[in-house]
Amino acid sequence: MGSYGEYLGKDFGKLGFGFMRLPKLGDGKIDIEQTKLMVDTFMEAGLTYFDTAYVYDGGDSERALKAALIDRYPRDSFTVATKMNAWLGSPTEEEVKKQFEISLERTGAGYFDFYLLHAIQNNNIDVYENYHLFDYVRQLKAEGKIKHWGFSFHGTPELLDKLLTEHTDVEFIQLQINYADWNDETVASGRNVAVATKHKVPFVIMEPVKGGNLANPPAPVAAVLKAANPDVSNASWAIRFAASLDGCIATLSGMSNLAQVQDNVSYMKEFKPLTQEEQDVIKKAQEELAKIEQIKCTACHYCVAGCPVGMRIPEIFAAMNKYLMNDMMRAPRDFAKAIDGAAKPSECLSCGQCEGACPQSLPIISLLARCADALE
Ligand code: SF4
Ligand code: SF4
């Protein structure tokens, strides 16, 4: 396999600065002064890839990029990626297409190096297709307003294969990849990488640290990493694992303070792929993760339609699985979403309808009781 970086015409540092979790001030606004320091530290290390999106922080992320980077550095010294979103808030086709000009205005970037259709998944691909957005970004490229186009993706490997077969001119994609989700049935990091490799489409990596979770992994995993090298951070293992994959353009880290930038830069400035010995350590960490109990719900939703209280069973179980993985950032957030306007696990009537419908024969009633204990 050739160098994908050359295919895209540039040699990027393997670390990308994700502008989705920027530091905030007491009033909830982005801390621009700290962001400037973070950008300076990143740029001084020779790293140049910045990732934002039309919807991040209601547009403030793109504005922060202008203030902290674009107004302060020569335009040809960095690379900007942003995204158009066709599903959040159910915009019209015209409104989605307008996002491009608004992003240009907010950032003052003049053009975008990388432009993405945002967060394509099985339940929103129709909107991207029906709004002719693939053709729209092709047109933007032909007009020289963007350099490269692609999409970020959260769907199934089957959908990814179909899209890359139908749209053979996709230049790159953005995938959720980390060592914990490598064999996960829903995220399917490993299978999505295999599809990208089959089509020889390079990828930008998001969530290499699984929303920060792998910076503080479950204790048995942390013990494996510590035993292998007590001097490096848990996050460094996760980011280097992702960046070592053949086909990786850049690994995004959504950095939230200067210390995180300094840690990331310390091992990504002169990136060295994982050695075979280090890959074996990751395998051991994956084995430890596999031992952690998970509810084997496949999110088929067969149980939901007949529930008299409208319990969002698969969403509650997904949040519980994050809790069992010690993902204390996302477990409460996802649980709150799952019960928003719907029943709480403790409101289950124990009627048993769902258990009769579950193809995985899950003991749903007792599992919901555990979810109530842990998450309510
Ligand atoms: S047992 Fe509980 S969750 Fe299952 S269908 Fe009945 S009320 Fe809904
Ligand atoms: S039927 Fe079973 S596997 Fe399917 S969503 Fe419900 S709990 Fe999960």
Side-chain angles (χ1 to χ4, degrees):
M1 196 178 295
S3 161
Y4 288 100
E6 282 166 22
Y7 167 69
L8 283 174
K10 270 196 174 182
D11 185 18
F12 305 104
K14 287 280 186 181
L15 181 67
F17 193 149
F19 259 49
M20 73 287 277
R21 293 193 194 96
L22 292 171
K24 297 272 171 68
L25 296 166
D27 60 3
K29 297 221 169 91
I30 292 171
D31 180 348
I32 297 291
E33 291 313 308
Q34 187 174 177
T35 304
K36 284 181 184 170
L37 291 176
M38 293 161 72
V39 165
D40 293 345
T41 305
F42 192 77
M43 290 288 283
E44 274 160 24
L47 297 163
T48 58
Y49 191 100
F50 291 83
D51 172 87
T52 180
Y54 177 83
V55 297
Y56 289 166
D57 278 314
D60 283 350
S61 169
E62 288 186 331
R63 294 183 192 99
L65 196 71
K66 175 175 167 54
L69 174 77
I70 295 170
D71 286 350
R72 302 172 62 237
Y73 286 89
R75 180 63 186 89
D76 61 358
S77 65
F78 55 81
T79 302
V80 175
T82 193
K83 317 177 187 82
M84 68 164 37
N85 190 304
W87 51 272
L88 212 69
S90 307
T92 63
E93 179 174 343
E94 202 191 345
E95 285 167 341
V96 180
K97 289 179 173 171
K98 263 196 203 143
Q99 289 178 13
F100 175 78
E101 293 299 337
I102 296 172
S103 290
L104 267 190
E105 210 176 291
R106 283 176 184 163
T107 58
Y111 63 90
F112 294 119
D113 305 86
F114 286 71
Y115 198 63
L116 300 93
L117 304 177
H118 195 175
I120 287 183
Q121 43 196 312
N122 295 56
N123 63 6
N124 65 23
I125 180 60
D126 287 353
V127 187
Y128 283 97
E129 298 276 17
N130 295 342
Y131 283 3
H132 315 101
L133 296 176
F134 285 85
D135 283 340
Y136 184 61
V137 290
R138 286 183 181 107
Q139 182 196 323
L140 292 173
K141 177 166 172 161
E143 292 169 358
K145 293 176 175 171
I146 59 176
K147 302 275 184 205
H148 303 291
W149 71 274
F151 55 83
S152 60
F153 187 75
H154 292 270
T156 60
E158 292 72 25
L159 176 62
L160 184 60
D161 193 36
K162 180 171 176 285
L163 290 176
L164 296 182
T165 302
E166 288 171 2
H167 301 285
T168 52
D169 54 342
V170 171
E171 295 178 272
F172 72 101
I173 52 178
Q174 185 164 308
L175 294 174
Q176 187 175 337
I177 297 172
N178 57 66
Y179 71 79
D181 288 329
W182 193 251
N183 296 313
D184 180 87
E185 284 172 31
T186 314
V187 180
S189 289
R191 289 174 61 216
N192 279 333
V193 166
V195 172
T197 304
K198 180 180 117 181
H199 290 273
K200 287 199 178 301
V201 174
F203 46 86
V204 173
I205 293 176
M206 57 185 156
E207 301 286 9
V209 193
K210 200 170 158 57
N213 181 236
L214 297 179
N216 183 24
V221 177
V224 167
L225 302 180
K226 200 47 86 195
N229 186 345
D231 299 326
V232 300
S233 65
N234 294 325
S236 75
W237 284 99
I239 291 182
R240 287 184 60 226
F241 167 80
S244 298
L245 291 166
D246 202 6
C248 165
I249 299 167
T251 305
L252 300 180
S253 178
M255 294 173 271
S256 301
N257 57 50
L258 187 57
Q260 285 173 6
V261 181
Q262 286 164 337
D263 179 52
N264 284 349
V265 158
S266 69
Y267 52 85
M268 292 302 287
K269 187 175 172 178
E270 282 162 32
F271 170 66
K272 291 192 183 64
L274 293 181
T275 62
Q276 188 52 52
E277 267 178 12
E278 289 172 324
Q279 292 282 7
D280 291 344
V281 173
I282 292 288
K283 276 208 186 78
K284 270 194 214 154
Q286 287 171 323
E287 284 162 15
E288 288 302 327
L289 281 168
K291 287 182 202 163
I292 296 169
E293 185 205 354
Q294 293 278 277
I295 300 173
K296 301 282 180 210
C297 169
T298 59
C300 68
H301 285 80
Y302 292 156
C303 54
V304 175
C307 173
V309 296
M311 188 81 68
R312 292 189 188 136
I313 298 165
E315 287 77 16
I316 290 169
F317 287 171
M320 183 65 180
N321 279 343
K322 292 193 172 92
Y323 173 85
L324 292 167
M325 290 283 283
N326 196 31
D327 188 346
M328 291 315 170
M329 191 176 95
R330 291 195 285 188
R333 183 195 68 191
D334 291 1
F335 181 67
K337 252 197 238 167
I339 61 168
D340 186 25
K344 292 183 199 150
S346 59
E347 290 166 346
C348 169
L349 305 174
S350 301
C351 69
Q353 177 283 142
C354 52
E355 294 193 355
C358 179
Q360 309 299 325
S361 305
L362 293 177
I364 296 176
I365 298 170
S366 61
L367 286 170
L368 284 172
R370 284 187 59 200
C371 296
D373 285 348
L375 295 167
E376 278 187 31

